Amino acid sequence: MKRLEQLEKLYGYHNRYEEVMDSVLNVLRSNNIEYIYPLDEFRKIDMKVKLTKKFDKHFSKEGAKFVKDLLKAKIEESLKVDLY
């Protein structure tokens, strides 16, 4: 619950993180905006190799590589579609 209180204080969130993200994803989908939201994959990998530093929101070296690889794949996929 402390985390929710911190989010409220910092960003004015009054709902749980998952509820906020559900709302954001619905807006993106309804406007046909592509997005990357690999939370399930992130959680699976994070159980084996910590992708953040000490429960912080800053990425570890492995976390930065995870995000870099994800973005690189998405950009390469987009370029293939745009080229043809």
Side-chain angles (χ1 to χ4, degrees), residues 64-75:
K65 183 180 181 327
F66 171 81
V67 172
K68 178 197 71 139
D69 291 345
L70 244 156
L71 292 173
K72 181 180 175 198
K74 185 67 172 177
I75 290 168

Side-chain angles (χ1 to χ4, degrees), residues 5-22:
E5 290 170 8
Q6 289 173 334
L7 287 174
E8 250 182 72
K9 186 176 179 182
L10 288 173
Y11 305 111
Y13 290 158
H14 298 289
N15 297 329
R16 292 177 40 93
Y17 173 78
E18 290 81 4
E19 293 168 344
V20 172
M21 284 311 299
D22 286 346

Side-chain angles (χ1 to χ4, degrees), residues 40-51 62 66:
D40 292 334
E41 184 180 355
F42 187 93
R43 285 179 174 160
K44 267 190 252 178
I45 294 172
D46 194 48
M47 288 190 308
K48 298 174 190 170
V49 178
K50 284 295 166 203
L51 299 180
E62 294 81 7
F66 171 81

